[in-house]
Amino acid sequence: MSTETSANETTPITVVTGFLGAGKTTLVNYILKEQNTWKIAVLENEFGEVAIDDGLVAESLDAPEDLITMDNGCVCCSVRGDLIRTLGQLSSQRKKFDAILLETTGLADPAPIVYTVQTNPKISEHYRIDSIICLADAKHITLHLDEVKPDGAVNEALQQVAFADKILLNKIDLVTEEEKSALKERLATINKFATIIETQRSQAPLDKILGLNSFNMDSILNYDPDFFKDQEEGKKEHRTDLVQSVGVQFTGNLHAQWFNMFMMDLLKERAADLYRTKGL
């Protein structure tokens, strides 16, 4: 069977990665709203006490059943089994969809996801990775890339950049031209194969990121020649315990002005400790 024929018979998965606050959910919503030719199923993976992203994405979908949430943990760790089960259950209906968007949590290492799709025959029979899109926050990505992790622990931001075939350099309006040029050079040293696309508010040309069959296993093996061996032996430790999530739910009406004042005070005191805030 030719590669082209095989690709035509499998459902493409676009994996959307990027560190917390990079703009992944904004990109997913943008894709769903801007295109009207494809029927897309969305798999949402969240890391936190309260599911937020499913509510933010649901309003952009034609049907609620097209959204599946996996919120028991990080998709590359405890939820990997959930991903296999979800894709397995979806396989009988997959021909209803032209594509699947998998939005990972910002703490996800793409490596186990790639390994699962590439090596699990029950998955690879029905699905293929079309592309891995990494959202890179131009203002903060350098801090995440430079973060010193405990020995043996994965730097998620580094892995996300390294495994991508498309890097959306987002929020470029928040940096200078000099900062942007230096950042693009650094991203290219990590991943020379990926196409870097400059964006604001995660708005990228759809013909540059969807339906391109641009995923290339060879580029990953160039970055990590021992990829399959490391995954089989579980050599790299994923320390999600280094980040905590706090969820707060309110009943009734929330006083917007008081809440904004509280957030301003919180950011003044603890801005360096906060990756992102979301609300619905």
Side-chain angles (χ1 to χ4, degrees):
M1 182 179 292
S2 69
T3 303
E4 183 178 355
T5 303
S6 178
N8 288 337
E9 292 179 353
T10 54
T11 302
I13 299 175
T14 297
V15 182
V16 180
T17 72
F19 206 73
L20 296 165
K24 298 183 297 299
T25 303
T26 304
L27 173 66
V28 171
N29 271 320
Y30 178 74
I31 291 172
L32 295 175
K33 290 177 179 177
E34 285 298 309
Q35 69 82 35
N36 52 20
T37 57
W38 284 10
K39 178 75 169 176
I40 297 177
V42 179
L43 306 185
E44 281 285 345
N45 175 221
E46 293 202 54
F47 176 85
E49 301 175 8
V50 181
I52 292 288
D53 289 347
D54 57 343
L56 296 174
V57 170
E59 61 183 22
S60 301
L61 286 165
D62 293 331
E65 60 270 19
D66 295 347
L67 173 66
I68 301 172
T69 303
M70 296 175 290
D71 57 2
N72 293 322
C74 183
V75 73
C76 64
C77 301
S78 59
V79 177
R80 197 192 306 195
D82 280 3
L83 176 62
I84 294 173
R85 284 190 293 274
T86 299
L87 290 175
Q89 293 167 0
L90 196 61
S91 62
S92 62
Q93 308 175 54
R94 68 180 179 85
K95 292 189 177 180
K96 292 168 43 181
F97 301 102
D98 299 299
I100 293 174
L101 285 179
L102 169 57
E103 180 189 349
T104 71
T105 170
L107 297 176
D109 174 7
I113 301 170
V114 172
Y115 180 79
T116 299
V117 176
Q118 293 292 102
T119 63
N120 189 308
K122 293 182 180 178
I123 303 301
S124 58
E125 179 183 357
H126 301 291
Y127 306 95
R128 61 181 168 82
I129 297 178
D130 182 76
S131 65
I132 299 178
I133 302 172
C134 173
L135 273 290
D137 180 342
K139 185 70 173 177
H140 299 108
I141 184 65
T142 300
L143 294 174
H144 303 318
L145 293 174
D146 290 339
E147 185 177 356
V148 178
K149 298 284 188 175
D151 289 344
V154 169
N155 182 317
E156 298 90 356
L158 181 62
Q159 290 285 96
Q160 291 162 358
V161 170
F163 277 71
D165 47 78
K166 299 287 185 294
I167 299 173
L168 302 191
L169 186 55
N170 198 29
K171 307 181 184 181
I172 57 171
D173 52 316
L174 302 181
V175 296
T176 65
E177 285 295 323
E178 292 76 13
E179 290 171 329
K180 183 177 69 176
S181 296
L183 182 53
K184 291 175 72 172
E185 288 182 12
R186 180 169 185 184
L187 294 174
T189 63
I190 298 171
N191 186 341
K192 64 182 180 181
F193 297 98
T195 302
I196 300 176
I197 303 172
E198 298 179 15
T199 61
Q200 295 182 39
R201 297 180 177 83
S202 303
Q203 296 181 5
L206 299 188
D207 60 349
K208 302 293 185 182
I209 60 175
L210 294 177
L212 301 177
N213 197 23
S214 55
F215 171 74
N216 187 348
M217 194 66 220
D218 290 339
S219 67
I220 292 177
L221 293 175
N222 181 77
Y223 168 75
D224 183 2
D226 296 324
F227 169 78
F228 287 105
K229 181 180 178 182
D230 288 348
Q231 290 301 310
E232 289 168 2
E233 298 177 359
K235 285 187 175 181
K236 295 182 179 179
E237 185 181 9
H238 192 206
R239 295 285 304 277
T240 56
D241 60 306
L242 299 175
V243 177
Q244 293 182 323
S245 173
V246 177
V248 181
Q249 299 186 65
F250 296 93
T251 56
N253 297 323
L254 181 66
H255 196 295
Q257 184 177 356
W258 290 355
F259 178 74
N260 288 334
M261 291 172 62
F262 164 76
M263 289 302 301
M264 289 175 61
D265 290 339
L266 179 63
L267 290 171
K268 286 179 183 177
E269 295 291 329
R270 304 295 297 272
D273 298 326
L274 296 175
Y275 286 131
R276 71 167 188 190
T277 57
K278 281 191 176 185
L280 178 64

PDB file of all heavy atoms in Angstrom, residues 259-280:
ATOM      1  N   PHE A 259     -13.552  41.820  41.043  1.00  0.00           N
ATOM      2  CA  PHE A 259     -12.715  40.719  40.601  1.00  0.00           C
ATOM      3  C   PHE A 259     -11.465  41.228  39.881  1.00  0.00           C
ATOM      4  O   PHE A 259     -10.352  40.732  40.098  1.00  0.00           O
ATOM      5  CB  PHE A 259     -13.498  39.784  39.672  1.00  0.00           C
ATOM      6  CG  PHE A 259     -12.684  38.647  39.132  1.00  0.00           C
ATOM      7  CD1 PHE A 259     -12.345  37.574  39.946  1.00  0.00           C
ATOM      8  CD2 PHE A 259     -12.235  38.659  37.817  1.00  0.00           C
ATOM      9  CE1 PHE A 259     -11.565  36.525  39.454  1.00  0.00           C
ATOM     10  CE2 PHE A 259     -11.466  37.616  37.322  1.00  0.00           C
ATOM     11  CZ  PHE A 259     -11.137  36.548  38.149  1.00  0.00           C
ATOM     12  N   ASN A 260     -11.627  42.238  39.030  1.00  0.00           N
ATOM     13  CA  ASN A 260     -10.482  42.805  38.322  1.00  0.00           C
ATOM     14  C   ASN A 260      -9.490  43.441  39.290  1.00  0.00           C
ATOM     15  O   ASN A 260      -8.265  43.344  39.102  1.00  0.00           O
ATOM     16  CB  ASN A 260     -10.951  43.843  37.296  1.00  0.00           C
ATOM     17  CG  ASN A 260     -11.629  43.208  36.097  1.00  0.00           C
ATOM     18  OD1 ASN A 260     -11.357  42.057  35.767  1.00  0.00           O
ATOM     19  ND2 ASN A 260     -12.508  43.958  35.444  1.00  0.00           N
ATOM     20  N   MET A 261     -10.015  44.091  40.341  1.00  0.00           N
ATOM     21  CA  MET A 261      -9.131  44.679  41.351  1.00  0.00           C
ATOM     22  C   MET A 261      -8.346  43.582  42.073  1.00  0.00           C
ATOM     23  O   MET A 261      -7.146  43.728  42.338  1.00  0.00           O
ATOM     24  CB  MET A 261      -9.957  45.501  42.343  1.00  0.00           C
ATOM     25  CG  MET A 261     -10.560  46.768  41.749  1.00  0.00           C
ATOM     26  SD  MET A 261     -11.711  47.600  42.883  1.00  0.00           S
ATOM     27  CE  MET A 261     -10.615  47.989  44.250  1.00  0.00           C
ATOM     28  N   PHE A 262      -9.032  42.477  42.382  1.00  0.00           N
ATOM     29  CA  PHE A 262      -8.356  41.354  43.038  1.00  0.00           C
ATOM     30  C   PHE A 262      -7.253  40.791  42.147  1.00  0.00           C
ATOM     31  O   PHE A 262      -6.131  40.523  42.599  1.00  0.00           O
ATOM     32  CB  PHE A 262      -9.378  40.258  43.356  1.00  0.00           C
ATOM     33  CG  PHE A 262      -8.758  38.922  43.665  1.00  0.00           C
ATOM     34  CD1 PHE A 262      -8.146  38.688  44.892  1.00  0.00           C
ATOM     35  CD2 PHE A 262      -8.769  37.900  42.716  1.00  0.00           C
ATOM     36  CE1 PHE A 262      -7.561  37.457  45.166  1.00  0.00           C
ATOM     37  CE2 PHE A 262      -8.189  36.676  42.987  1.00  0.00           C
ATOM     38  CZ  PHE A 262      -7.580  36.448  44.213  1.00  0.00           C
ATOM     39  N   MET A 263      -7.551  40.619  40.850  1.00  0.00           N
ATOM     40  CA  MET A 263      -6.558  40.079  39.933  1.00  0.00           C
ATOM     41  C   MET A 263      -5.377  41.020  39.774  1.00  0.00           C
ATOM     42  O   MET A 263      -4.211  40.576  39.676  1.00  0.00           O
ATOM     43  CB  MET A 263      -7.200  39.794  38.570  1.00  0.00           C
ATOM     44  CG  MET A 263      -8.158  38.613  38.556  1.00  0.00           C
ATOM     45  SD  MET A 263      -7.378  37.066  39.090  1.00  0.00           S
ATOM     46  CE  MET A 263      -6.055  36.902  37.909  1.00  0.00           C
ATOM     47  N   MET A 264      -5.614  42.304  39.742  1.00  0.00           N
ATOM     48  CA  MET A 264      -4.518  43.279  39.631  1.00  0.00           C
ATOM     49  C   MET A 264      -3.595  43.183  40.839  1.00  0.00           C
ATOM     50  O   MET A 264      -2.370  43.187  40.705  1.00  0.00           O
ATOM     51  CB  MET A 264      -5.084  44.689  39.482  1.00  0.00           C
ATOM     52  CG  MET A 264      -5.736  44.963  38.136  1.00  0.00           C
ATOM     53  SD  MET A 264      -6.529  46.593  38.060  1.00  0.00           S
ATOM     54  CE  MET A 264      -5.119  47.668  38.331  1.00  0.00           C
ATOM     55  N   ASP A 265      -4.187  43.066  42.029  1.00  0.00           N
ATOM     56  CA  ASP A 265      -3.375  42.947  43.244  1.00  0.00           C
ATOM     57  C   ASP A 265      -2.593  41.628  43.237  1.00  0.00           C
ATOM     58  O   ASP A 265      -1.425  41.589  43.634  1.00  0.00           O
ATOM     59  CB  ASP A 265      -4.270  43.008  44.490  1.00  0.00           C
ATOM     60  CG  ASP A 265      -4.848  44.396  44.722  1.00  0.00           C
ATOM     61  OD1 ASP A 265      -4.271  45.364  44.198  1.00  0.00           O
ATOM     62  OD2 ASP A 265      -5.873  44.505  45.440  1.00  0.00           O
ATOM     63  N   LEU A 266      -3.243  40.555  42.775  1.00  0.00           N
ATOM     64  CA  LEU A 266      -2.582  39.252  42.722  1.00  0.00           C
ATOM     65  C   LEU A 266      -1.399  39.280  41.759  1.00  0.00           C
ATOM     66  O   LEU A 266      -0.313  38.758  42.069  1.00  0.00           O
ATOM     67  CB  LEU A 266      -3.586  38.179  42.293  1.00  0.00           C
ATOM     68  CG  LEU A 266      -3.043  36.747  42.166  1.00  0.00           C
ATOM     69  CD1 LEU A 266      -2.556  36.236  43.517  1.00  0.00           C
ATOM     70  CD2 LEU A 266      -4.122  35.824  41.616  1.00  0.00           C
ATOM     71  N   LEU A 267      -1.588  39.909  40.611  1.00  0.00           N
ATOM     72  CA  LEU A 267      -0.519  39.972  39.626  1.00  0.00           C
ATOM     73  C   LEU A 267       0.644  40.842  40.105  1.00  0.00           C
ATOM     74  O   LEU A 267       1.809  40.563  39.783  1.00  0.00           O
ATOM     75  CB  LEU A 267      -1.063  40.499  38.290  1.00  0.00           C
ATOM     76  CG  LEU A 267      -1.990  39.536  37.539  1.00  0.00           C
ATOM     77  CD1 LEU A 267      -2.642  40.232  36.353  1.00  0.00           C
ATOM     78  CD2 LEU A 267      -1.218  38.303  37.072  1.00  0.00           C
ATOM     79  N   LYS A 268       0.338  41.876  40.861  1.00  0.00           N
ATOM     80  CA  LYS A 268       1.410  42.706  41.416  1.00  0.00           C
ATOM     81  C   LYS A 268       2.290  41.909  42.364  1.00  0.00           C
ATOM     82  O   LYS A 268       3.507  42.065  42.402  1.00  0.00           O
ATOM     83  CB  LYS A 268       0.809  43.908  42.157  1.00  0.00           C
ATOM     84  CG  LYS A 268       0.240  44.990  41.261  1.00  0.00           C
ATOM     85  CD  LYS A 268      -0.341  46.126  42.100  1.00  0.00           C
ATOM     86  CE  LYS A 268      -0.985  47.193  41.218  1.00  0.00           C
ATOM     87  NZ  LYS A 268      -1.606  48.264  42.031  1.00  0.00           N
ATOM     88  N   GLU A 269       1.643  41.051  43.144  1.00  0.00           N
ATOM     89  CA  GLU A 269       2.358  40.295  44.168  1.00  0.00           C
ATOM     90  C   GLU A 269       3.005  39.020  43.633  1.00  0.00           C
ATOM     91  O   GLU A 269       4.100  38.647  44.039  1.00  0.00           O
ATOM     92  CB  GLU A 269       1.396  39.928  45.314  1.00  0.00           C
ATOM     93  CG  GLU A 269       0.853  41.123  46.083  1.00  0.00           C
ATOM     94  CD  GLU A 269       1.925  41.820  46.901  1.00  0.00           C
ATOM     95  OE1 GLU A 269       2.868  41.131  47.347  1.00  0.00           O
ATOM     96  OE2 GLU A 269       1.819  43.050  47.070  1.00  0.00           O
ATOM     97  N   ARG A 270       2.325  38.345  42.692  1.00  0.00           N
ATOM     98  CA  ARG A 270       2.765  36.993  42.320  1.00  0.00           C
ATOM     99  C   ARG A 270       2.857  36.780  40.819  1.00  0.00           C
ATOM    100  O   ARG A 270       2.749  35.646  40.347  1.00  0.00           O
ATOM    101  CB  ARG A 270       1.789  35.954  42.909  1.00  0.00           C
ATOM    102  CG  ARG A 270       1.582  36.031  44.406  1.00  0.00           C
ATOM    103  CD  ARG A 270       2.862  35.714  45.162  1.00  0.00           C
ATOM    104  NE  ARG A 270       3.305  34.363  44.923  1.00  0.00           N
ATOM    105  CZ  ARG A 270       2.899  33.313  45.642  1.00  0.00           C
ATOM    106  NH1 ARG A 270       2.051  33.485  46.650  1.00  0.00           N
ATOM    107  NH2 ARG A 270       3.351  32.107  45.383  1.00  0.00           N
ATOM    108  N   ALA A 271       3.083  37.807  40.050  1.00  0.00           N
ATOM    109  CA  ALA A 271       3.086  37.674  38.587  1.00  0.00           C
ATOM    110  C   ALA A 271       4.093  36.631  38.110  1.00  0.00           C
ATOM    111  O   ALA A 271       3.822  35.869  37.182  1.00  0.00           O
ATOM    112  CB  ALA A 271       3.377  39.017  37.932  1.00  0.00           C
ATOM    113  N   ALA A 272       5.245  36.586  38.744  1.00  0.00           N
ATOM    114  CA  ALA A 272       6.283  35.647  38.318  1.00  0.00           C
ATOM    115  C   ALA A 272       5.898  34.197  38.561  1.00  0.00           C
ATOM    116  O   ALA A 272       6.473  33.298  37.958  1.00  0.00           O
ATOM    117  CB  ALA A 272       7.595  35.965  39.042  1.00  0.00           C
ATOM    118  N   ASP A 273       4.922  33.962  39.448  1.00  0.00           N
ATOM    119  CA  ASP A 273       4.514  32.611  39.790  1.00  0.00           C
ATOM    120  C   ASP A 273       3.315  32.129  38.979  1.00  0.00           C
ATOM    121  O   ASP A 273       2.905  30.981  39.114  1.00  0.00           O
ATOM    122  CB  ASP A 273       4.158  32.521  41.282  1.00  0.00           C
ATOM    123  CG  ASP A 273       5.345  32.848  42.163  1.00  0.00           C
ATOM    124  OD1 ASP A 273       6.481  32.521  41.783  1.00  0.00           O
ATOM    125  OD2 ASP A 273       5.142  33.450  43.236  1.00  0.00           O
ATOM    126  N   LEU A 274       2.731  33.008  38.166  1.00  0.00           N
ATOM    127  CA  LEU A 274       1.511  32.663  37.441  1.00  0.00           C
ATOM    128  C   LEU A 274       1.813  32.482  35.948  1.00  0.00           C
ATOM    129  O   LEU A 274       2.351  33.378  35.304  1.00  0.00           O
ATOM    130  CB  LEU A 274       0.455  33.766  37.606  1.00  0.00           C
ATOM    131  CG  LEU A 274      -0.053  34.001  39.039  1.00  0.00           C
ATOM    132  CD1 LEU A 274      -0.992  35.195  39.053  1.00  0.00           C
ATOM    133  CD2 LEU A 274      -0.762  32.770  39.557  1.00  0.00           C
ATOM    134  N   TYR A 275       1.462  31.311  35.419  1.00  0.00           N
ATOM    135  CA  TYR A 275       1.628  31.067  33.996  1.00  0.00           C
ATOM    136  C   TYR A 275       0.451  31.643  33.204  1.00  0.00           C
ATOM    137  O   TYR A 275       0.612  32.173  32.115  1.00  0.00           O
ATOM    138  CB  TYR A 275       1.750  29.577  33.719  1.00  0.00           C
ATOM    139  CG  TYR A 275       3.074  28.970  34.111  1.00  0.00           C
ATOM    140  CD1 TYR A 275       3.122  27.813  34.861  1.00  0.00           C
ATOM    141  CD2 TYR A 275       4.279  29.552  33.724  1.00  0.00           C
ATOM    142  CE1 TYR A 275       4.349  27.249  35.223  1.00  0.00           C
ATOM    143  CE2 TYR A 275       5.493  29.011  34.062  1.00  0.00           C
ATOM    144  CZ  TYR A 275       5.525  27.846  34.820  1.00  0.00           C
ATOM    145  OH  TYR A 275       6.724  27.294  35.159  1.00  0.00           O
ATOM    146  N   ARG A 276      -0.758  31.481  33.743  1.00  0.00           N
ATOM    147  CA  ARG A 276      -1.922  31.936  33.008  1.00  0.00           C
ATOM    148  C   ARG A 276      -3.118  32.002  33.938  1.00  0.00           C
ATOM    149  O   ARG A 276      -3.134  31.381  35.015  1.00  0.00           O
ATOM    150  CB  ARG A 276      -2.262  31.003  31.844  1.00  0.00           C
ATOM    151  CG  ARG A 276      -2.816  29.668  32.331  1.00  0.00           C
ATOM    152  CD  ARG A 276      -3.457  28.842  31.245  1.00  0.00           C
ATOM    153  NE  ARG A 276      -4.117  27.691  31.839  1.00  0.00           N
ATOM    154  CZ  ARG A 276      -4.606  26.670  31.141  1.00  0.00           C
ATOM    155  NH1 ARG A 276      -4.506  26.668  29.841  1.00  0.00           N
ATOM    156  NH2 ARG A 276      -5.207  25.662  31.737  1.00  0.00           N
ATOM    157  N   THR A 277      -4.140  32.730  33.533  1.00  0.00           N
ATOM    158  CA  THR A 277      -5.447  32.685  34.194  1.00  0.00           C
ATOM    159  C   THR A 277      -6.502  32.547  33.088  1.00  0.00           C
ATOM    160  O   THR A 277      -6.343  33.086  31.986  1.00  0.00           O
ATOM    161  CB  THR A 277      -5.741  33.975  34.997  1.00  0.00           C
ATOM    162  OG1 THR A 277      -5.667  35.124  34.120  1.00  0.00           O
ATOM    163  CG2 THR A 277      -4.746  34.137  36.127  1.00  0.00           C
ATOM    164  N   LYS A 278      -7.554  31.801  33.380  1.00  0.00           N
ATOM    165  CA  LYS A 278      -8.654  31.630  32.443  1.00  0.00           C
ATOM    166  C   LYS A 278      -9.959  31.687  33.193  1.00  0.00           C
ATOM    167  O   LYS A 278     -10.028  31.297  34.357  1.00  0.00           O
ATOM    168  CB  LYS A 278      -8.562  30.281  31.708  1.00  0.00           C
ATOM    169  CG  LYS A 278      -7.579  30.242  30.562  1.00  0.00           C
ATOM    170  CD  LYS A 278      -7.748  28.977  29.748  1.00  0.00           C
ATOM    171  CE  LYS A 278      -6.829  28.970  28.548  1.00  0.00           C
ATOM    172  NZ  LYS A 278      -7.071  27.801  27.666  1.00  0.00           N
ATOM    173  N   GLY A 279     -10.996  32.148  32.524  1.00  0.00           N
ATOM    174  CA  GLY A 279     -12.307  32.201  33.150  1.00  0.00           C
ATOM    175  C   GLY A 279     -13.409  31.966  32.154  1.00  0.00           C
ATOM    176  O   GLY A 279     -13.245  32.167  30.943  1.00  0.00           O
ATOM    177  N   LEU A 280     -14.535  31.506  32.667  1.00  0.00           N
ATOM    178  CA  LEU A 280     -15.683  31.230  31.799  1.00  0.00           C
ATOM    179  C   LEU A 280     -16.953  31.584  32.555  1.00  0.00           C
ATOM    180  O   LEU A 280     -17.085  31.238  33.752  1.00  0.00           O
ATOM    181  CB  LEU A 280     -15.710  29.734  31.444  1.00  0.00           C
ATOM    182  CG  LEU A 280     -16.874  29.252  30.580  1.00  0.00           C
ATOM    183  CD1 LEU A 280     -16.813  29.909  29.206  1.00  0.00           C
ATOM    184  CD2 LEU A 280     -16.844  27.745  30.447  1.00  0.00           C
TER     185      LEU A 280
END
